[in-house]
Amino acid sequence: MRLRFAAPEDGEQLVKIYAQYLDTPVTFECVCPTAEVFSARIRDISAQYPYLVCEREGEPVGYAYAHRQMEREAYGWNAELSVYLDRDSVSAGLGKRLYGALIELLRMQGVHNVYGGVTLPNEKSKRLHEGMGFRRLGVYRHTGYKCGAWHDVAWFEREILPCSGEPAPFTPIGQIPLAKLEEVLRRYSD
């Protein structure tokens, strides 16, 4: 396994992983984005936050990314995380590797709190979050309609840097020395 940063050129392969969840309530997106749209998402998110790919023998088997949790300025030290794994690679510890690397990179950026939304029921995602030290905040009841039913979404949070005093400014991922970023990815790769 190898973790690396995603590039817009990964859009075509990553959207194939994402498409495996389109007929489920895991994502509330109802129409599969094109590879071009997915590539644009990677480019836009990567301008500020880490967007990671997990490869096995050179083929992507999962990805995870962070993005701003809410838009107002005071929320600038928070991030929301997402992870998607190829269905043949679920329950192999890849989600934990991807989240571990994301969290370490986000600490380097000055992020203090991370959040994850989990459509219920989803025991595997719930266990991932709890196993990574997240605590359940609450549930948005009947917040999304998909696959012929209303679904609840549980929200999880984890403090990754102490929230005391004035925080240092958020640092975009591209402003952190590449050698430091690559060292984190190496630690979470085989």
Side-chain angles (χ1 to χ4, degrees):
M1 290 302 152
R2 178 175 87 98
L3 297 189
R4 64 171 174 81
F5 286 99
E9 297 76 33
D10 293 313
E12 188 172 338
Q13 289 183 294
L14 299 189
V15 78
K16 288 177 185 175
I17 294 171
Y18 184 66
Q20 296 174 39
Y21 296 92
L22 264 278
D23 63 348
T24 76
V26 167
T27 176
F28 280 175
E29 194 159 12
C30 296
V31 176
C32 191
T34 65
E36 293 78 21
V37 167
F38 217 78
S39 293
R41 291 179 185 178
I42 294 168
R43 183 176 43 258
D44 293 347
I45 290 168
S46 296
Q48 298 290 318
Y49 293 92
Y51 201 124
L52 305 178
V53 175
C54 180
E55 291 181 324
R56 180 186 298 131
E57 298 176 9
E59 291 298 318
V61 293
Y63 66 93
Y65 61 92
H67 62 88
R68 191 176 175 111
Q69 181 242 356
M70 296 179 84
E71 290 307 313
R72 300 279 190 247
E73 184 177 349
Y75 294 114
W77 294 270
N78 300 332
E80 185 178 332
L81 311 184
S82 293
V83 61
Y84 290 91
L85 302 173
D86 182 88
R87 286 193 174 162
D88 292 335
S89 298
V90 174
S91 299
L94 303 183
K96 190 172 182 175
R97 283 183 196 215
L98 285 161
Y99 258 29
L102 271 181
I103 288 168
E104 200 167 328
L105 294 168
L106 290 166
R107 273 192 202 108
M108 293 167 72
Q109 292 184 265
V111 170
H112 288 251
N113 300 297
V114 291
Y115 299 88
V118 177
T119 305
L120 300 176
N122 186 337
E123 280 304 309
K124 291 178 182 179
S125 187
K126 181 178 166 261
R127 279 195 312 269
L128 169 66
H129 286 85
E130 290 171 347
M132 294 293 299
F134 286 71
R135 71 179 180 93
R136 187 167 161 168
L137 289 172
V139 176
Y140 289 174
R141 302 275 179 215
H142 310 294
T143 195
Y145 184 83
K146 188 173 178 192
C147 302
W150 287 97
H151 299 279
D152 297 343
V153 173
W155 285 94
F156 293 83
E157 90 174 331
R158 178 176 166 191
E159 183 179 296
I160 62 172
L161 283 176
C163 293
S164 59
E166 187 171 336
F170 171 80
T171 304
I173 195 71
Q175 292 181 17
I176 297 172
L178 186 57
K180 288 184 176 185
L181 301 175
E182 289 176 344
E183 174 55 34
V184 171
L185 298 183
R186 273 194 296 277
R187 278 199 304 275
Y188 288 91
S189 298
D190 282 342

